[in-house]
Amino acid sequence: MDSEIEQPDWITEVPKVNNAYLQKFRLYETRSNFYMIGRSKNRSVWRVLKIDRSEPTELNITEDPTTYTEIECCDLLKRIHDGNKSTGGLRFVCTCYGIVGFIKFLGPYYMLLITKRRKIGVICGHAVYAITKSEILPIPNSTVQPSIAYSKNENRYKKLLCSVDLTKDFYFSYSYRVMHSFQKNISTQESGNETMFVWNEFLTGTIHNQLKNNLWTVQLVYGYFKQVKLSIGEKEFKLTLIARRSRHYAGTRYLKRGVNEKGRVANDVETEQIVFEDVPEGFPVQISSVVQNRGSIPLFWSQETSRLNIKPDIIVSKKDQRYDATRLHFENLTKRYGNPIIILNLIKTKEKKPRESLLRVEFAHAIELINKDLPEENRLKFLHWDLNKYSRNKSTNVLALLGKVATYALNLTGFFYCQVVPNSMSQELLNCSRDDENHNAENFSFKPPKHQTGVLRTNCIDCLDRTNVAQFAYGWAALGRQLHTIGYIDTPVIELDSILAEDLMRIYEKMGDTLALQYGGSAAHNKIFCQRRGQWKAATQSQEFFRTLQRYYSNAYMDAEKQDAINVFLGHYQPQIGKPALWEMDSDQHYNVGSQGSNFSVERSRLIKRSLSVGNFLYSDNIILDANSSIGTTQNDEGSLPDITSESDSSYPRYTNSTSPEESPNSDVVFYKKNSFNCSNFLDVDWLSSSGNSCEDETYERSTLVGSPMGGRSSDNVVNEMCTFASDSELCSNVKDARSPNAGGFSDRFAEWVTHGDIMFP
């Protein structure tokens, strides 16, 4: 074998100079230019970037192609200073650690810089950082900055941009593509430049187009990153939990729901769990990772609320009768992860007033139609389980049941595993021993690699509270397999009562809180986790109540401005002179942000309206439904809306179901009926609770699902109820006129608590 080990593509694709990444920068200014000096970590490589300051509204960036030494760079700066003495010379501005990007509102360009950072983890020698301080600087010097009549709007846009707090939940790496999963990074055949998780993609577009590289910028990922050292027995290992939030269709809870016309869903988050063997430096290390996904139900649906309606109705639009956007969404998932795509749907089966159950059946119907056009081996696998229903029963071990579902999914998708050896050329760069070429270490034995193909996609209504419980169960089941493959445990199972499972639960709980604050405005409802730890019931109830209140307040009074800030940061809305300002437009549900989109969202919003009588009637296209009546009517002859009675057991019935249920074996293996529901791959997991764990109110909770897509099965076994951990988290949302945190008479202390979280005592 060659003495030099070939490096994976994910390393060589990132622009670098002589294997060096620029990691520290010093910014200087003259009247006519900014000069940024960048150096590598070992101070062996120095580069110079020049930014023109003489243009009031244009951005001109030039990169010096010369690679300097430190002494040469100092000489260059001295010459620049001497040449500009007549206008004040060269002045030091700040030390920084990368450019976040450039942005223009109505006047000049601004530059966003990282001025302080902190290390939060290391992946195979590649450091991962969080931002602790950032600055925004105008590019033109004061003599050429235009004195514009619209400076008030300019300052307001600038303030809006600065409200996106880069010090919270953003992370980056200079040398590791943290926006990609470990499997994608290490596998050359899966290399690519997908930027759906790069939140400053818009901000860096101008500099990338001019320089044709990303040497000076960082790629920011938004979500969650946590790295801890855990142990099992006397063996230690490093666990990294990463959540990557998609920048597509991003926003706040009630302003971003469902799917858009491009197949992108709200609250789309990829979660990766990586396990590193703890070995001495220089030894081969075993690494395993597993990926799961969460995202809003990929249908056109919305919730429009007011302060008077704290539990808004769910409005399902009939705009996309062929479910084209839903198809696009799952095609994208398949492209990213491969097959199979396993859908774990946790929303409610039965409600006195149908809300979630409307989506439940509509989602099932969409999957059935999509599966008809797919070959059998590529059909979507759809699992229903009403988490809320079973979480109310003390005799039901919800986490154990979800663990069985996770085991079923892991059997289908597998997980990633490989061994890496230190590269003799650089201790920071590691290579995967995935073929015989790398089996050259005489003193080490190498196991064959494993790859994950397919993904588990979990959703509830908000994809926050219930979803996080299910994602922990999946991570718990996966960790057992990962540690078993590495050789730390004899069987691929970790006891739920073990200290390790408790530690993992706390990490997932923290991740759930972080993601919930980003999308929903409060920490997650963690009732199941609290019960598992034996927390005092009154304390749990108090915590849930205040989180519900916090989420309501944030949704009703703060989300509109938060959504505006996200739209500006991501470039979905770009201010233009002569066009309406962002705050002069309707709420985010009623206008299409961005300069290149269609008018689809505008058209859709006009078709979905709400009655002033606190939402008793739902209007969706040409269909009118009285949510308090047993009768649904339609205004044309092409189709009719099924009966919905608030006191009946039906939940938005669309199909007819007549035959008796088939009994499933009572075992620890999830039963999967391949031919259920004609062309749909539906899994009935309701029977998992049948061994002494049935609910006392089972009769009341059963949904007859009159004519569900499970043709041939009764309501006791049909589309079977996929769980919903529904605290009263579905509370009110955006009120566009109430943008002030103190609107509505709330105290300053309460507003501060909503903004910054933490604990508040009444």
Side-chain angles (χ1 to χ4, degrees):
M1 178 186 170
D2 295 340
S3 58
E4 183 177 299
I5 302 176
E6 181 183 358
Q7 295 178 1
D9 284 354
W10 63 271
I11 294 175
T12 58
E13 281 181 2
V14 180
K16 55 185 178 291
V17 184
N18 296 333
N19 275 337
Y21 301 89
L22 303 185
Q23 297 192 16
K24 191 170 183 179
F25 308 85
R26 288 174 67 85
L27 184 67
Y28 299 86
E29 67 174 354
T30 64
R31 177 178 291 185
S32 56
N33 293 294
F34 277 120
Y35 292 92
M36 181 170 284
I37 310 300
R39 68 166 174 84
S40 60
K41 184 178 181 180
N42 61 6
R43 308 175 74 94
S44 63
V45 173
W46 298 72
R47 297 291 296 270
V48 179
L49 187 73
K50 183 172 73 172
I51 305 170
D52 184 11
R53 303 187 66 201
S54 61
E55 290 290 338
T57 59
E58 299 296 327
L59 181 64
N60 296 312
I61 305 173
T62 306
E63 183 182 34
D64 188 338
T66 306
T67 299
Y68 295 92
T69 64
E70 185 172 1
I71 295 176
E72 291 171 340
C73 201
C74 290
D75 290 340
L76 175 64
L77 292 176
K78 186 177 184 302
R79 292 196 301 271
I80 294 173
H81 175 70
D82 292 340
N84 289 271
K85 280 186 176 180
S86 61
T87 57
L90 184 71
R91 297 175 297 276
F92 173 74
V93 179
C94 67
T95 299
C96 58
Y97 298 92
I99 298 174
V100 173
F102 296 84
I103 192 170
K104 171 184 170 66
F105 304 123
L106 301 173
Y109 270 91
Y110 298 89
M111 177 167 56
L112 283 73
L113 299 174
I114 299 171
T115 53
K116 288 185 180 180
R117 68 182 184 185
R118 63 182 175 90
K119 186 190 291 188
I120 56 175
V122 178
I123 298 177
C124 291
H126 301 265
V128 179
Y129 297 93
I131 301 171
T132 54
K133 188 178 180 182
S134 63
E135 288 188 17
I136 179 170
L137 301 175
I139 297 299
N141 65 62
S142 57
T143 62
V144 298
Q145 286 187 17
S147 56
I148 48 179
Y150 42 83
S151 59
K152 183 178 180 181
N153 283 356
E154 179 80 5
N155 291 333
R156 188 166 178 179
Y157 281 122
K158 184 179 176 181
K159 183 178 179 182
L160 201 60
L161 178 73
C162 292
S163 68
V164 178
D165 191 350
L166 297 181
T167 66
K168 285 188 176 181
D169 310 326
F170 284 93
Y171 53 92
F172 67 95
S173 175
Y174 299 104
S175 55
Y176 179 77
R177 303 182 72 144
V178 73
M179 75 292 296
H180 289 169
S181 68
F182 190 85
Q183 174 174 320
K184 194 168 188 177
N185 276 331
I186 211 73
S187 303
T188 57
Q189 67 270 23
E190 295 188 28
S191 64
N193 195 33
E194 173 61 53
T195 61
M196 70 177 295
F197 301 119
V198 180
W199 271 58
N200 61 330
E201 175 69 9
F202 165 71
L203 297 175
T204 57
T206 304
I207 184 173
H208 288 170
N209 290 336
Q210 294 191 27
L211 302 185
K212 308 302 180 186
N213 67 51
N214 60 0
L215 188 63
W216 301 88
T217 60
V218 299
Q219 294 178 299
L220 294 183
V221 181
Y222 186 44
Y224 180 78
F225 186 99
K226 184 68 175 180
Q227 191 169 82
V228 296
K229 183 168 281 190
L230 301 174
S231 62
I232 183 166
E234 296 182 354
K235 298 179 180 179
E236 291 187 333
F237 63 93
K238 188 165 62 177
L239 183 137
T240 304
L241 187 62
I242 305 174
R244 306 175 179 97
R245 181 177 294 282
S246 172
R247 65 183 174 88
H248 301 302
Y249 205 49
T252 55
R253 185 180 177 213
Y254 285 117
L255 296 178
K256 285 290 181 277
R257 288 294 213 197
V259 70
N260 67 11
E261 66 274 16
K262 295 181 180 179
R264 305 293 189 175
V265 296
N267 201 18
D268 188 350
V269 180
E270 176 183 275
T271 301
E272 181 179 20
Q273 178 176 293
I274 312 176
V275 174
F276 299 88
E277 180 186 19
D278 187 31
V279 297
E281 184 177 351
F283 280 68
V285 57
Q286 300 180 82
I287 303 174
S288 175
S289 73
V290 65
V291 171
Q292 55 181 317
N293 177 266
R294 72 171 75 187
S296 189
I297 295 173
L299 301 170
F300 288 110
W301 61 282
S302 62
Q303 287 175 283
E304 294 190 45
T305 63
S306 71
R307 295 175 228 181
L308 300 177
N309 189 7
I310 64 172
K311 197 167 185 180
D313 295 316
I314 290 175
I315 307 169
V316 183
S317 172
K318 304 301 177 187
K319 179 73 179 179
D320 190 12
Q321 293 283 358
R322 288 176 38 84
Y323 303 108
D324 291 330
T326 310
R327 293 173 193 269
L328 284 174
H329 173 68
F330 287 113
E331 287 173 5
N332 178 264
L333 280 182
T334 302
K335 182 179 179 181
R336 284 157 53 192
Y337 303 110
N339 283 311
I341 303 298
I342 306 164
I343 304 157
L344 177 56
N345 183 30
L346 302 175
I347 60 179
K348 294 179 182 177
T349 299
K350 170 67 179 65
E351 301 164 290
K352 288 186 177 181
K353 180 179 179 180
R355 294 177 63 256
E356 296 187 12
S357 50
L358 304 179
L359 283 170
R360 178 179 178 267
V361 177
E362 191 73 15
F363 195 13
H365 181 53
I367 299 303
E368 184 189 33
L369 291 184
I370 291 171
N371 276 342
K372 287 181 179 179
D373 298 329
L374 294 174
E376 185 175 347
E377 64 274 14
N378 293 337
R379 287 175 183 163
L380 305 172
K381 301 184 182 351
F382 197 24
L383 294 77
H384 289 278
W385 196 46
D386 185 346
L387 177 58
N388 183 64
K389 169 183 173 180
Y390 292 108
S391 66
R392 293 201 303 267
N393 192 322
K394 294 181 180 179
S395 63
T396 303
N397 190 335
V398 171
L399 292 175
L401 297 179
L402 286 172
K404 293 182 180 181
V405 175
T407 299
Y408 163 79
L410 285 164
N411 287 339
L412 291 175
T413 67
F415 57 93
F416 181 73
Y417 165 83
C418 72
Q419 289 172 287
V420 297
V421 295
N423 189 329
S424 59
M425 296 178 60
S426 170
Q427 288 298 316
E428 285 192 355
L429 303 181
L430 299 176
N431 293 309
C432 176
S433 58
R434 62 174 179 273
D435 52 44
D436 293 336
E437 283 188 313
N438 290 337
H439 294 188
N440 63 332
E442 296 179 359
N443 299 325
F444 309 113
S445 60
F446 290 89
K447 301 176 186 177
K450 302 174 184 284
H451 289 86
Q452 177 176 344
T453 305
V455 74
L456 174 65
R457 182 199 192 276
T458 306
N459 73 265
C460 49
I461 287 297
D462 296 324
C463 302
L464 298 177
D465 312 319
R466 294 167 275 181
T467 294
N468 204 61
V469 173
Q471 289 212 325
F472 159 71
Y474 185 80
W476 161 56
L479 183 60
R481 297 194 176 203
Q482 290 175 295
L483 293 177
H484 177 256
T485 301
I486 289 175
Y488 274 30
I489 55 179
D490 296 329
T491 58
V493 177
I494 297 173
E495 294 297 328
L496 193 55
D497 294 327
S498 67
I499 296 176
L500 179 57
E502 174 72 15
D503 291 339
L504 185 69
M505 181 188 296
R506 291 188 183 278
I507 299 170
Y508 271 86
E509 185 176 1
K510 178 60 177 175
M511 180 188 73
D513 288 343
T514 301
L515 297 178
L517 279 164
Q518 293 167 9
Y519 180 66
S522 78
H525 291 275
N526 295 315
K527 181 179 178 181
I528 291 179
F529 292 152
C530 294
Q531 290 175 341
R532 183 74 198 175
R533 288 194 295 267
Q535 183 171 309
W536 185 34
K537 185 176 180 180
T540 301
Q541 290 174 337
S542 176
Q543 173 183 284
E544 296 299 290
F545 169 75
F546 279 108
R547 288 184 177 180
T548 296
L549 188 61
Q550 182 184 17
R551 192 172 294 185
Y552 160 72
Y553 176 86
S554 180
N555 296 160
Y557 295 98
M558 302 177 69
D559 277 3
E561 187 166 341
K562 184 178 178 181
Q563 184 68 59
D564 288 346
I566 291 172
N567 289 337
V568 169
F569 187 88
L570 295 176
H572 295 329
Y573 176 86
Q574 299 174 36
Q576 296 179 19
I577 298 175
K579 297 292 181 66
L582 182 58
W583 43 88
E584 293 173 353
M585 295 176 141
D586 203 344
S587 70
D588 190 75
Q589 292 280 45
H590 297 282
Y591 67 84
N592 181 45
V593 293
S595 58
Q596 298 178 348
S598 68
N599 291 323
F600 184 87
S601 60
V602 180
E603 180 182 357
R604 179 161 64 108
S605 69
R606 290 172 183 156
L607 295 170
I608 303 176
K609 302 183 184 297
R610 172 172 298 283
S611 159
L612 296 178
S613 58
V614 199
N616 288 333
F617 289 85
L618 310 183
Y619 297 79
S620 180
D621 287 7
N622 57 340
I623 296 175
I624 303 176
L625 166 65
D626 182 350
N628 294 324
S629 168
S630 62
I631 299 176
T633 62
T634 182
Q635 293 180 332
N636 69 14
D637 296 327
E638 294 181 3
S640 59
L641 191 69
D643 291 346
I644 299 180
T645 308
S646 59
E647 299 299 323
S648 73
D649 288 335
S650 66
S651 57
Y652 198 90
R654 179 180 281 203
Y655 310 94
T656 303
N657 163 43
S658 57
T659 58
S660 60
E662 296 179 10
E663 296 297 327
S664 302
N666 186 10
S667 69
D668 288 341
V669 181
V670 175
F671 176 67
Y672 171 60
K673 191 169 191 299
K674 184 176 176 182
N675 297 320
S676 295
F677 323 135
N678 301 322
C679 293
S680 296
N681 284 341
F682 286 82
L683 173 68
D684 177 1
V685 294
D686 193 29
W687 63 271
L688 289 171
S689 302
S690 61
S691 55
N693 289 328
S694 60
C695 296
E696 295 175 2
D697 55 347
E698 184 73 17
T699 303
Y700 174 78
E701 290 291 348
R702 290 284 184 202
S703 167
T704 60
L705 273 179
V706 177
S708 67
M710 323 51 211
R713 309 189 72 174
S714 79
S715 61
D716 290 347
N717 235 357
V718 153
V719 174
N720 249 332
E721 303 137 7
M722 299 213 118
C723 302
T724 330
F725 172 52
S727 48
D728 286 337
S729 60
E730 286 127 71
L731 290 179
C732 213
S733 144
N734 169 52
V735 179
K736 92 171 184 157
D737 294 327
R739 296 177 182 266
S740 168
N742 290 320
F746 292 93
S747 69
D748 291 340
R749 177 67 185 92
F750 184 80
E752 181 182 355
W753 170 66
V754 169
T755 303
H756 302 291
D758 209 346
I759 299 174
M760 172 181 169
F761 296 96

